[in-house]
């Protein structure tokens, strides 16, 4: 993980949790990258977003300003990649609550009403986590603005997105880091089982690649 904003650069560093991108079929509740960000002590981080309706309900019941302990995310098993759900037990303050509705002002789907379902922000000090009730890929800054977070003012933005984040967030980014997290939208093809594709096929197989080792084979068929 990066330790800070690039010297002389403005804007946040984008951390892409692309292996859990709901726009590609991800569960949007894998906590691997978020857990690592917390472990490494990154500061001034906003996360968009974790889908966990039960945690939103718990924060609604507690109310803004209350301190809550949650088993956040990790409620969905992923047998296709051999992973079980792993919630993150975490304590923080309920910073904001909303109905999850807002209007897109950015360049992608401009003017469309987004409905993330009941939503909340869990503030654990160094990290603020947007938690939503419906799946939503963060392709517009409204996912944060609608809950009182200014993305331009953050040092890091952790986004569960692969491509569509570019519309709303690439113009404000100082740098982009693709994180090797867990999830069914992983880019590691070795973790996926392909049952209905004719083999060999690139990039699943090493087509026209030199042999492993020193690349030299001894010919034994020349007599």
């Amino acid at each position: 993980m990066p330790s800070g904003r690039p010297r002389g650069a403005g804007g946040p560093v984008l951390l892409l949790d692309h292996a859990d991108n709901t726009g590609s079929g991800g569960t949007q509740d894998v906590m691997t990258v978020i857990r690592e960000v917390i472990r490494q002590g990154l500061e001034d981080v906003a996360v968009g977003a974790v889908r966990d309706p039960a945690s939103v309900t718990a924060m609604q019941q507690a109310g803004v300003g209350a301190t809550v302990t949650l088993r956040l995310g990790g409620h969905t098993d992923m047998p296709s990649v051999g992973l079980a759900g792993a919630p993150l037990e975490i304590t923080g303050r309920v910073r904001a609550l909303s109905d999850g509705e807002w209007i897109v002002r950015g360049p992608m789907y401009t003017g469309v009403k987004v409905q993330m379902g009941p939503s909340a922000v869990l503030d654990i000090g160094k990290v603020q986590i947007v938690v939503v009730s419906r799946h939503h890929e963060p392709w517009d800054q409204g996912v944060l603005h609608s809950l009182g977070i200014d993305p331009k003012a953050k040092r890091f933005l952790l986004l569960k997105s692969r491509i569509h984040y570019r519309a709303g967030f690439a113009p404000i980014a100082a740098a982009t880091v693709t994180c090797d997290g867990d999830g069914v939208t992983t880019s590691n093809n070795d973790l996926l089982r392909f049952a209905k594709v004719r083999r060999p096929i690139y990039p699943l197989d090493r087509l026209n690649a030199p042999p492993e080792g020193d690349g030299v084979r001894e010919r034994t068929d020349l007599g």
Side-chain angles (χ1 to χ4, degrees), residues 11-165:
V13 175
L14 306 185
L15 307 176
L16 301 182
D17 188 4
H18 66 93
D20 191 32
N21 170 27
T22 191
S24 301
T27 63
Q28 202 182 338
D29 73 343
V30 180
M31 303 303 291
T32 304
V33 175
I34 297 172
R35 183 180 282 108
E36 183 65 14
V37 163
I38 295 171
R39 188 192 71 81
Q40 293 201 23
L42 298 190
E43 299 182 356
D44 200 16
V45 183
V47 177
V50 175
R51 179 187 176 272
D52 188 337
S55 289
V56 173
T57 298
M59 286 188 278
Q60 287 177 322
Q61 293 172 345
V64 173
T67 298
V68 295
T69 297
L70 305 170
R71 284 175 56 81
L72 184 63
H75 302 304
T76 310
D77 292 339
M78 297 165 283
S80 63
V81 289
L83 295 174
L88 175 63
E89 185 166 318
I90 193 169
T91 298
R93 181 174 61 87
V94 182
R95 173 170 174 171
L97 297 168
S98 83
D99 61 7
E101 295 187 2
W102 47 276
I103 303 296
V104 177
R105 304 300 181 192
M108 184 174 178
Y109 298 125
T110 307
V112 169
K113 177 186 283 189
V114 171
Q115 296 177 320
M116 301 188 300
S119 302
V121 176
L122 180 67
D123 190 337
I124 64 170
K126 296 179 180 180
V127 182
Q128 295 171 348
I129 305 173
V130 173
V131 188
V132 299
S133 297
R134 297 178 178 174
H135 292 104
H136 177 74
E137 182 177 353
W139 34 259
D140 186 87
Q141 295 178 34
V143 68
L144 301 174
H145 278 305
S146 64
L147 285 151
I149 299 174
D150 180 1
K152 294 180 182 178
K154 286 296 178 182
R155 192 174 186 182
F156 298 98
L157 299 177
L158 196 166
L159 304 174
K160 287 182 174 290
S161 179
R162 178 186 299 273
I163 299 294
H164 286 160
Y165 77 90

